[in-house]
Amino acid sequence: MTTTTVFDRARLSSAPRTRTLRLGELTISYVPDGLVRLKPRGWLPAATAADWAAHRDHLDDGGFLVAGIGALLVERGERALLIDTGFGPESHPDDPANPFLGDLYGGRLLDSLRRLGREPRQIDAVAITHLHTDHLGWAWSAAPGTGTPPFAHATHFVAAPEWERRDLAAAGGATEERLAVFAARVHPAADGEEIFPGVRASFAAGHTVGHTTYTITGGGRRLIAFGDALHSPVQVTHPEWSCGIDHDPGESAEHRRRLVEELSRPDTVGYGGHFADVVFGRAERRSDGRFTWIPVA
C-alpha cells in the first residue's frame, strides 16, 4: 500500500477508479458506479465564500465538489460482502434550481464488479449505510436483460432504526415502492452486530436517523467505512461543517469530530465513498491542531 503525502488536486476533482488494499485475509476494493457534482455552498452551508477561496484545491474547475458514487467490496476467500450498491442505471443533469446537486449519474457498478472478478450472483450479502438513493440504486434496479435486481438473492443488512423510520427516506427519492423491491430480504442489524467475518455495524446517527458505519478488521488493522458521515476530505479539516441535508446537523458534527480522531489512530484506514479519487486514506494532525486527509492506495 502506498501513501500520498500531498494532495493531488487532479485526484480530488476526478472520477474515482477501482482501488484495492488488503487487511490480512480480507481484500477490500472500491467499486465505482458513477459520479455526482455537489454545489459547495448548498451542500456545506456553514462554509463561507472566503472558506472556499482558501480551499479552492478541493473544487473542480466548475466550482463543484466532486463526489464519487459506488460500493465497497469485502472479499474473504470465496465469500463476498458489498457495502452499498451505488446509484444504479440512472442519470440526472444539473438543475440550476437545485441548491445541492449538479449532474448525477450511475450505472457502472456491475461492470466494475466484473473487472474485479466477481459476478453479482457471487455476492453473499449487502450492507447499507443508509437509505439514500445513491447508496441503494442496484438494490431495486433490474440488471440489464433481466427483470430482477442483481443482488436479489442476498441478505440486505440495514440498521434497525434506519429501517424502522424508512418513511423518512422518501424525501430523498427512496420511495415506498422502491424500498418494497428488496424489503423481504432486509435483516435489521443491531448496533455492534458482526454481519460478515471481520465486519461489524456501528450506529452513527446524524446524516440519517439510523446512519451506519462498518468497521472491517484484519491483519492487525482496521478500515472504517464511514458512509456519509463525511462527504468530502475538506470535512476532515472542518468537521463542524455539516451537510445541508443532514437529518440532525449537530449530531452529525459531533460524530464527525470523534470519527476524525479515530481515523488518525495507528493502523486505521478510512473509506470515504464520496471522496472523488481518494477514497482510502487516514487523518493526520496538522501543526494548527486540525486534521487533513492523507490518501492511501
Side-chain angles (χ1 to χ4, degrees), residues 127-152:
I128 302 298
T129 58
H130 61 294
L131 298 176
H132 281 175
T133 53
D134 56 324
H135 298 257
L136 293 171
W138 286 108
W140 57 53
S141 299
T146 76
T148 58
F151 311 114

Side-chain angles (χ1 to χ4, degrees), residues 1-295:
M1 182 171 65
T2 60
T3 300
T4 303
T5 56
V6 178
F7 269 132
D8 179 350
R9 183 169 178 264
R11 290 184 64 185
L12 286 172
S13 59
S14 299
R17 295 174 290 170
T18 300
R19 294 190 178 276
T20 298
L21 52 81
R22 292 291 299 251
L23 295 182
E25 297 179 6
L26 300 174
T27 301
I28 317 293
S29 300
Y30 174 70
V31 189
D33 185 54
L35 190 74
V36 58
R37 290 182 169 85
L38 306 174
K39 297 176 180 178
R41 294 298 298 277
W43 200 259
L44 300 176
T48 67
D51 289 325
W52 287 118
H55 292 289
R56 187 64 184 81
D57 57 332
H58 284 73
L59 306 178
D60 69 6
D61 291 340
F64 292 92
L65 285 165
V66 174
I69 298 174
L72 191 68
L73 176 65
V74 183
E75 299 175 285
R76 180 169 180 159
E78 295 301 312
R79 299 190 61 189
L81 168 76
L82 197 66
I83 299 177
D84 288 332
T85 69
F87 188 57
E90 296 186 49
S91 63
H92 299 290
D94 181 17
D95 177 359
N98 187 319
F100 303 112
L101 306 178
D103 53 311
L104 168 63
Y105 66 88
R108 296 170 49 199
L109 186 133
L110 303 186
D111 288 339
S112 297
L113 260 183
R114 292 184 176 109
R115 282 195 292 272
L116 288 164
R118 285 275 171 183
E119 291 292 328
R121 67 176 181 275
Q122 296 175 299
I123 300 298
D124 298 285
V126 171
I128 302 298
T129 58
H130 61 294
L131 298 176
H132 281 175
T133 53
D134 56 324
H135 298 257
L136 293 171
W138 286 108
W140 57 53
S141 299
T146 76
T148 58
F151 311 114
H153 59 283
T155 299
H156 286 49
F157 292 95
V158 182
E162 184 80 350
W163 191 245
E164 288 166 6
R165 292 307 316 273
R166 57 190 178 276
D167 58 298
L168 297 175
T175 62
E176 181 179 348
E177 292 75 18
R178 283 182 156 187
L179 296 178
V181 173
F182 64 93
R185 299 187 292 280
V186 168
H187 171 97
D191 193 20
E193 180 177 350
E194 185 175 45
I195 63 164
F196 186 83
V199 183
R200 291 190 180 274
S202 298
F203 294 172
H207 184 59
T208 64
V209 295
H211 183 270
T212 306
T213 64
Y214 294 94
T215 300
I216 304 164
T217 305
R221 296 192 298 156
R222 64 174 177 165
L223 182 146
I224 302 174
F226 50 74
D228 281 10
L230 295 152
H231 288 89
S232 167
V234 75
Q235 290 175 286
V236 175
T237 304
H238 291 280
E240 71 275 15
W241 292 354
S242 291
C243 170
I245 65 168
D246 279 350
H247 176 75
D248 187 326
E251 191 172 25
S252 73
E254 182 56 36
H255 170 65
R256 228 173 358 263
R257 291 184 183 96
R258 296 193 302 269
L259 173 63
V260 170
E261 290 279 357
E262 287 296 310
L263 294 173
S264 72
R265 296 187 183 279
D267 300 316
T268 299
V269 176
Y271 161 67
H274 290 312
F275 277 27
D277 194 34
V278 291
V279 294
F280 295 124
R282 57 186 176 82
E284 183 175 279
R285 191 181 293 274
R286 306 187 319 192
S287 59
D288 62 1
R290 288 190 177 271
F291 291 89
T292 194
W293 181 252
I294 303 299

